[in-house]
Amino acid sequence: MKMKGKLLKYSHDGEFPKKAGVYILVNQKNGKVYIGCTRNVRARIASHRSLLLSCRHYSEELQHAFDKDFLGVIVLALVPHANQQLLREAERLFIQAAPYLFPAGIINKRLVNYSNSMK
């Protein structure tokens, strides 16, 4: 499944909600995704973008995709009035479904290990 999101490099903070939710950063060239959850989607996307623009992101794979204009962003789900536990549960459900939703794979290693531990 090829997912196409708005290119992160050219997105604007105002395009994202200031709400809790689950988002993905998708490498539009190979289809791999980074799954994340946060209490404020707008702030978290801005944080990723800031790290990527300054070439200081902790994920070399995301940094490379960003530099080559392959990195898109998609908000998968908003979770109104969510606490951290509910957000982690929503994230976990997407991780468990990842092989079906994102067959190209998951970029972030922590989540790959998290997904495998849930089986």
Side-chain angles (χ1 to χ4, degrees), residues 35 91-99 106 108-119:
I35 301 172
E91 179 186 54
R92 184 182 66 77
L93 290 172
F94 278 107
I95 292 166
Q96 286 181 322
I106 300 175
N108 36 340
K109 304 297 183 220
R110 179 184 65 83
L111 295 182
V112 171
N113 295 333
Y114 182 56
S115 178
N116 290 336
S117 72
M118 304 311 290
K119 293 179 181 175

Side-chain angles (χ1 to χ4, degrees), residues 9-110:
K9 190 180 284 186
Y10 306 110
S11 63
H12 301 282
D13 291 345
E15 297 175 47
F16 303 104
K18 288 184 181 180
K19 296 185 180 189
V22 180
Y23 65 93
I24 60 170
L25 301 178
V26 58
N27 181 326
Q28 296 180 0
K29 184 168 184 172
N30 65 18
K32 288 185 176 183
V33 299
Y34 174 98
I35 301 172
C37 70
T38 180
R39 287 184 183 219
N40 183 330
V41 172
R42 182 180 297 178
R44 186 64 182 122
I45 298 299
S47 173
H48 278 294
R49 186 185 315 100
S50 176
L51 289 169
L52 291 160
L53 283 168
S54 64
C55 297
R56 295 181 309 143
H57 202 279
Y58 46 86
S59 169
E60 289 180 24
E61 194 168 351
L62 286 177
Q63 187 69 57
H64 178 74
F66 182 82
D67 293 343
K68 298 292 184 182
D69 283 343
F70 298 145
L71 195 61
V73 57
I74 299 170
V75 177
L76 290 177
L78 294 178
V79 187
H81 312 294
N83 60 30
Q84 196 61 35
Q85 182 179 356
L86 185 56
L87 280 171
R88 290 286 180 201
E89 179 65 17
E91 179 186 54
R92 184 182 66 77
L93 290 172
F94 278 107
I95 292 166
Q96 286 181 322
Y100 307 102
L101 297 173
F102 317 113
I106 300 175
I107 293 172
N108 36 340
K109 304 297 183 220
R110 179 184 65 83

